[in-house]
Amino acid sequence: MRDPQGRANEEELTSVEAHLSDILRTVRPLVPTELSLSDAHGLVLAEDVTASVPLPSFDNSSMDGYAVRVADVAAASEQTPVTLPVVAEVAAGDTGAYALPPLATIRIMTGAMLPHGTEAVVPVEWTDGGTTRVSIYGRAEFGHALRLAGDDAKAGEVLVSAGTRLRPMHIAVIAATGRATVRVRPRPRVVVLSTGSELAEPGTPIVPGRIWDSNSFMIAAAAREAGCLAYRQSIVPDNPDEVLPAIEDQLGRADLMITTGGVSMGGEYDVVKAALRQLGTVGFRKVAMQPGMPQGFGTVALPPSATSEGRARRSLIGRLAERGEIPERAVGSAGGDQVPLFTLPGNPVSAYVSFQIFVRPAIGALQAYGGLGLEATRAELTGPLRSPPGRRSFLRGVLDRGRGRIAPLTGQGSHQVATLGKANALIIVPEWVVQMAEGETADVLVLP
Ligand code: AMP
Ligand code: MG
């Protein structure tokens, strides 16, 4: 609603923080599952992974060289090499038990188990590389080139903590502990649905009055970038009778649903709002931001008529939760049969910004992961900018991280997708600021 001066009535607006916290209160983490380590990259760990054995689990050599007793090579130098017999050879993977006699060496490879009695390994580079006898040109300190059992990790030590998003180094650590499978939150399944009778599939011809659907491709890609499996559904026209069935049809395969369009203030054409209002579980509000003011969020239950496997599985989880057999926090998505649903505004820039500010953290919550917010930084503005009072602006800009500067782009309209394509960051202008000058320092969100 507008006051007589034509300005947005601030009373009616919900803050960005309040909207986000309502969302995060509703979204429940998905039930963890045991997955093969090969499938776990990028997922969030749902258990602490501990070392089952010390790492390394046996004393071994860190270099190719010769196992020696320190006293036997104490006199070795460039000018006065010490020559010793080579009595055996032990390679990586050799499980035999070797013992090092006094005044002798055993040739040893990197990663090979130390012969009993080894005090140091003389690197092959300090020797003539002999195979029956070896001349050694330098003395080795006690412990030189040895890797002792447990020097990397003690048995029982927590190596990767629950809540970690698994990156390649974590996968290596888990494999090194001997685990073939690991307990993780499943990859969230996100279904994206565009609404609007003006929309056409890219690749098909259009006539004036129509536009190609860009939102569903963009949001599906953004969801994948945030670590989800994303499915894009075909376009739903502005027909109130088609919206709810189209959403319900997808619920069985969704942990989270996103629609775009049909939620602004235009009345009968806002079919998404009209269709979902009947349910009473999705709230619509104006958020004090630009772009992205009209936001809808809530949950949608699978309809009683749905017979998909998804429903069966979800119902089972719901029943188990009701009976207290699994903790409420462990119930998937919004709990029981409920799937969280975002209705994002239709303008592509609004949809994009809304996704990054609200949906990304919700995707994190599905995985019990708090680290999905955009990276925040600060940078010096290379040009002035304006912002409406009482609204937090997210303006597209080009961030030069090296110089710590950001250039606001011209063309900040919510429909101006071409400008979005040039941006790599969003400039945040607080609610109480209406303009900023060149040279001022602004808060910036780095776009993923
Ligand atoms: P709405 O929120 O449905 O009122 O749409 C607001 C504006 O966004 C209109 O100009 C729509 O044509 C445009 N729009 C809606 N959906 C899409 C879409 N999927 N791709 C591109 N533009 C869209
Ligand atoms: Mg529309």
Side-chain angles (χ1 to χ4, degrees), residues 195-198 238 260-264 269-271 346:
T195 71
S197 293
E198 73 279 31
D238 289 325
T260 73
V263 294
S264 42
Y269 290 98
D270 292 327
V271 292

Side-chain angles (χ1 to χ4, degrees), residues 15 45 91 117 135 167 175 183 192 204 209 264-265 277 291 298 319 353 387 408 418:
S15 73
L45 195 58
S135 292
R167 301 172 64 196
R183 219 167 154 66
V192 185
T204 65
S264 42
M265 314 298 158
R277 267 219 167 113
R319 283 202 304 275
V353 169
S387 172

Side-chain angles (χ1 to χ4, degrees), residues 193-196 198-199 211-217 235 238 260-266 269-270 294 344-348 414-415:
L193 212 145
S194 276
T195 71
E198 73 279 31
L199 302 177
I211 57 168
W212 287 294
D213 167 23
S214 53
N215 285 350
S216 62
F217 292 94
I235 299 157
D238 289 325
T260 73
V263 294
S264 42
M265 314 298 158
Y269 290 98
D270 292 327
L344 304 185
N347 273 310
S414 300
H415 64 292

Side-chain angles (χ1 to χ4, degrees), residues 243-331:
V243 172
L244 207 48
I247 291 172
E248 289 179 335
D249 191 46
Q250 295 301 316
L251 289 176
R253 63 167 179 167
D255 298 311
L256 187 147
M257 279 203 65
I258 304 168
T259 66
T260 73
V263 294
S264 42
M265 314 298 158
E268 62 186 292
Y269 290 98
D270 292 327
V271 292
V272 173
K273 204 190 241 181
L276 291 171
R277 267 219 167 113
Q278 313 161 18
L279 296 179
T281 53
V282 180
F284 295 91
R285 52 169 57 150
K286 293 187 206 166
V287 177
M289 66 191 282
Q290 188 177 59
M293 185 172 69
Q295 294 288 335
F297 172 75
T299 61
V300 181
L302 281 155
S305 58
T307 53
S308 69
E309 263 178 52
R311 172 166 173 73
R313 206 196 68 185
R314 214 177 275 288
S315 299
L316 176 67
I317 293 167
R319 283 202 304 275
L320 289 174
E322 272 162 30
R323 301 207 312 246
E325 289 179 25
I326 53 176
E328 209 225 334
R329 287 294 295 171
V331 176

